[in-house]
């Protein structure tokens, strides 16, 4: 019961993470028809998702404290950290800074949930997350993440598209830039030494799962300084990677 109460608190935290609008609504299903143990039911009636033990016909199964909604990638339970970036946070990220400055700074561009079972920087561990990039454009450039290299350059990462349409924009250290189209089910391996950024080219949220080493870290400074050498633009309705100086 103590553990269940703690899980509830973790879930009820993060009021600024707009679950209702962007996440839970899209799934529309119960995650797993768990039957909470009698003890869990009496102490925490809403605890079905987090039931520590469930009784099946065969045996009692022990669950851990975190669940992934398989339809949306939404995470709930233990060890989850959440962040979001608004248009106001993304100064100088889009090509048309004047257009960005005209838009509502409170508009959410993307949200990230990360399941961090070990401390950031732990060698040999893994992190698991879901990124949620909203549909939208700034001066014809699709809403996207800031993008980064890993601080430990050799660290790779897996992405997989869960919902929506978009692109994984990649750049090597020589500045060569390309992209991989994303659609639900597409799997993307990002090798080490490659900067990566997500862009939503559709009109629904782009939800992408990720798994990366817990000691990878993030190098945002290189991107802040030099940017990506190409930008994914809406050219007559077609997502087009426009190389620097080609616009
Ligand atoms: C972490 C992984 C993702 C991104 C997320 C947000 O290595 O690549 O979880 O952090 O998509 O992007 P960014 O560039 O703002 O960190
Ligand atoms: Zn990364």
């Amino acid at each position: 019961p103590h553990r269940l109460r703690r899980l509830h608190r973790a879930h009820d935290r993060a009021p600024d993470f707009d679950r209702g609008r962007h996440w839970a609504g899209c799934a529309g299903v119960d995650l797993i028809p768990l039957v909470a143990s009698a003890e869990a039911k009496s102490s925490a009636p809403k605890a079905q998702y987090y039931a520590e033990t469930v009784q099946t016909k065969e045996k009692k199964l022990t669950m851990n404290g975190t669940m992934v909604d398989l339809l949306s990638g939404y995470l709930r339970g233990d060890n989850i950290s959440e962040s979001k970036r608004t248009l106001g946070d993304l100064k100088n990220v889009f090509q048309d800074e004047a257009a960005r400055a005209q838009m509502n700074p409170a508009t959410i561009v993307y949200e990230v949930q990360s399941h961090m079972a070990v401390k950031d920087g732990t060698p040999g561990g893994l992190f698991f997350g879901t990124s949620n990039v909203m549909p939208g454009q700034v001066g014809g450039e699709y809403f996207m993440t800031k993008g980064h290299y890993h601080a430990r350059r050799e660290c790779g990462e897996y992405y997989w598209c869960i919902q929506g349409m978009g692109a994984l924009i990649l750049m090597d250290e020589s500045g060569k830039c390309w992209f991989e189209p994303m659609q639900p089910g597409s799997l993307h391996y990002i090798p080490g030494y490659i900067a990566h950024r997500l862009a939503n080219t559709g009109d629904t949220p782009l939800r992408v799962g990720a798994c990366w080493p817990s000691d990878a870290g993030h190098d945002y400074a290189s991107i802040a300084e030099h940017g990506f050498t190409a930008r994914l633009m809406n050219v007559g309705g077609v997502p087009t990677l426009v190389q620097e100086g080609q616009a």
Side-chain angles (χ1 to χ4, degrees):
H2 286 299
R3 185 168 156 77
L4 286 167
R5 239 173 274 132
R6 192 159 61 78
L7 286 171
H8 271 118
R9 276 209 302 279
H11 182 221
D12 293 337
R13 237 187 281 131
D16 62 341
F17 196 83
D18 198 340
R19 276 189 298 272
R21 192 156 55 92
H22 299 300
W23 292 78
C26 76
V29 293
D30 284 346
L31 299 182
I32 294 175
L34 290 182
V35 179
S37 67
E39 187 196 39
K41 259 185 189 157
S42 61
S43 65
K46 289 188 299 181
Q48 280 183 326
Y49 294 137
Y50 309 129
E52 275 199 293
T53 57
V54 289
Q55 188 72 55
T56 68
K57 264 191 202 132
E58 292 76 29
K59 58 178 178 181
K60 209 172 185 190
L61 298 171
T62 301
M63 308 295 294
N64 73 23
T66 308
M67 299 295 286
V68 186
D69 181 319
L70 293 177
L71 290 187
S72 69
Y74 186 75
L75 302 172
R76 53 185 120 194
D78 271 350
N79 297 320
I80 295 164
S81 73
E82 300 179 333
S83 66
K84 69 176 176 196
R85 303 260 182 241
T86 63
L87 276 174
D89 297 326
L90 298 175
K91 198 172 175 203
N92 293 322
V93 167
F94 295 93
Q95 186 167 53
D96 192 341
E97 171 56 22
R100 186 207 60 88
Q102 296 282 309
M103 295 169 76
N104 181 353
T107 302
I108 294 172
V109 179
Y110 64 99
E111 304 164 306
V112 183
Q113 289 187 301
S114 303
H115 181 255
M116 304 171 98
V118 293
K119 239 182 89 194
D120 199 4
T122 303
L126 293 170
F127 290 148
F128 181 100
T130 304
S131 298
N132 189 32
V133 186
M134 301 307 155
Q137 294 173 28
V138 177
E141 185 173 13
Y142 296 103
F143 273 15
M144 61 184 179
T145 60
K146 285 167 78 163
H148 57 268
Y149 290 101
H150 291 149
R152 286 181 66 111
R153 283 289 195 281
E154 69 272 26
C155 291
E157 182 163 3
Y158 269 112
Y159 276 5
W160 56 95
C161 181
I162 299 168
Q163 287 183 337
M165 299 294 283
L168 170 59
I169 306 172
L170 301 162
M171 181 174 70
D172 70 16
E173 289 183 305
S174 76
K176 187 180 150 235
C177 208
W178 68 101
F179 76 95
E180 296 178 1
M182 304 184 101
Q183 64 179 67
S186 62
L187 181 68
H188 307 267
Y189 178 67
I190 304 163
Y193 302 92
I194 302 292
H196 41 287
R197 149 183 288 175
L198 290 167
N200 184 341
T201 58
D203 47 23
T204 58
L206 172 69
R207 297 187 167 95
V208 174
C211 185
W212 68 102
S214 50
D215 57 348
H218 295 89
D219 172 10
Y220 294 107
S222 300
I223 302 303
E225 201 180 331
H226 306 292
F228 277 60
T229 56
R231 293 176 175 279
L232 197 65
M233 309 294 295
N234 176 346
V235 179
V238 181
T240 306
L241 194 68
V242 178
Q243 303 291 332
E244 211 168 50
Q246 258 185 18

